[in-house]
Amino acid sequence: MTGSRSWALLAALLVAGWVALACLGDTAVGDVELTAAAAAAAAGCAALAAAPGPGRRRYDLPVSVVALVGLPPAVALAAADADARPLAAVVAVLAVAGAATGGRDLTVRLRAVAVAGAGAAVLAGVLAAPASDEWLLVPPDRGAAAGLVLAGLLLALGSLGPVVSVPALRPLLGPALLVAMVGSVALKDDAVVVVMAATAVAVATARPPLGVAFVAVAVASLPAGPPTAALLAAAAVLMVAIDRPAGGFLALPGGVALALVVAQPGPLAGRVSLVLAALVVAGAVGRSVPSPTAWGARAGGPIEVPRLPAVALAAWLLVAPGSWRWAGDPPLDAYDHGAARAAAVMLIVLLAAAVWPQVRPRPEEPAG
């Protein structure tokens, strides 16, 4: 337990530091102009890498340290358009490390590693192409943007594929979403929306968080979609990080914002496919969330200490997503007010339920 608490403390400090940078807004860190969105992406990656803590296998601890300490700054540098070489290197290391950690069936495990490794290779190829500008995560043309979407798709499938769960690959979901969304925003094409929506439908039943992730990539290609895509991407990452059936509720803020985005005028094919995909994914997520009568049986047991930073971020996302200004100012002020009131009422009810048995008078015992 001591090791678990030490790991959780380190994770909490790192996540809190990245969140603080995100709250400060765009900040100069040395020669790098660190944007709030880049710091927020790093915070999410740190929370995901921290959970559930290092395993007991030979290579688990060093791989976990690389994911927790090395991946977030690499993501921040790439997201801030500073240098994507650290991201390509860390992603490649984690993809290769997946062969030595997690999963009992080596053949099945290597299959997931091969998919993630292909994504890492595509990412490195796009960044190293002559047309690219000094290894920046800024696609110079539509071909590079499509390559980034493909790289993110492969990394996401490798990190959370329906075949096997490989702990070393799970942190790759964060950079996968960053890379795919950068490409999707650059393309702004209905074809991307249709393809990613179809992919989301294909994986939603087996992996609801992956369905939410691919809906986020699809939404990012719409003109007003990036803020909503950021909320859905955060929901997908935190759903994996907290690893509880009730994590499906985290897609609610992004779902509300998505309804506002698709209601705007624009090309019909992408929006119709996105609505259909969102309905399928919402159904898959809803089936994964237990009913109140089953919470005790399906809650998943007590939350491990290393998951607490992710739980804190998840609560913030669910109660006040409109305050996540680094996501691009999503139009959720009305949601924030309603969620805050609901949270306050729930807190009062829980407090009353805890205090009432202690303050109510005891029934008098019969005399004699």
Side-chain angles (χ1 to χ4, degrees):
M1 179 60 72
T2 302
S4 176
R5 288 179 176 174
S6 300
W7 179 263
L9 178 60
L10 173 62
L13 291 174
L14 291 175
V15 172
W18 288 113
V19 170
L21 287 173
C23 292
L24 288 174
D26 297 350
T27 308
V29 180
D31 296 332
V32 178
E33 187 68 25
L34 185 67
T35 63
C45 288
L48 178 57
R56 298 181 180 179
R57 297 178 180 84
R58 181 178 179 182
Y59 300 105
D60 283 353
L61 180 59
V63 170
S64 297
V65 170
V66 170
L68 178 62
V69 179
L71 184 59
V75 166
L77 285 173
D81 297 337
D83 191 349
R85 281 174 293 188
L87 177 64
V90 175
V91 164
V93 168
L94 292 177
V96 173
T101 62
R104 297 181 179 179
D105 190 329
L106 179 61
T107 303
V108 177
R109 188 164 74 242
L110 289 178
R111 198 179 307 164
V113 170
V115 175
V122 173
L123 174 62
V126 171
L127 295 175
S132 297
D133 187 12
E134 298 180 356
W135 286 78
L136 299 182
L137 197 63
V138 181
D141 51 44
R142 292 181 63 82
L148 290 180
V149 174
L150 176 61
L153 174 66
L154 292 172
L155 288 172
L157 288 172
S159 70
L160 201 66
V163 178
V164 68
S165 178
V166 181
L169 299 180
R170 201 169 300 168
L172 292 178
L173 182 61
L177 284 170
L178 170 65
V179 168
M181 287 170 60
V182 167
S184 181
V185 170
L187 286 172
K188 284 186 169 57
D189 195 327
D190 248 22
V192 177
V193 179
V194 173
V195 170
M196 295 309 300
T199 308
V201 170
V203 301
T205 301
R207 297 288 191 189
L210 204 54
V212 175
F214 289 148
V215 168
V217 177
V219 175
S221 205
L222 296 178
T228 298
L231 291 178
L232 288 170
V237 168
L238 293 175
M239 286 169 69
V240 177
I242 65 175
D243 192 26
R244 289 296 182 276
F249 287 116
L250 297 176
L252 182 59
V256 173
L258 175 61
L260 300 175
V261 169
V262 297
Q264 298 181 9
L268 192 60
R271 294 170 191 274
V272 170
S273 62
L274 187 55
V275 169
L276 294 176
L279 291 174
V280 173
V281 172
V285 171
R287 286 191 295 272
S288 70
V289 176
S291 64
T293 57
W295 279 357
R298 294 179 56 195
I303 295 177
E304 299 94 332
V305 177
R307 298 189 193 275
L308 293 181
V311 171
L313 290 179
W316 186 4
L317 172 63
L318 191 59
V319 174
S323 65
W324 287 32
R325 297 304 178 187
W326 52 79
D329 197 15
L332 290 175
D333 289 338
Y335 176 97
D336 279 359
H337 295 314
R341 292 191 187 99
V345 171
M346 185 179 297
L347 182 60
I348 293 172
V349 170
L350 292 175
L351 182 61
V355 173
W356 174 250
Q358 302 178 26
V359 299
R360 64 180 179 179
R362 291 184 177 181
E364 295 183 2
E365 297 182 359

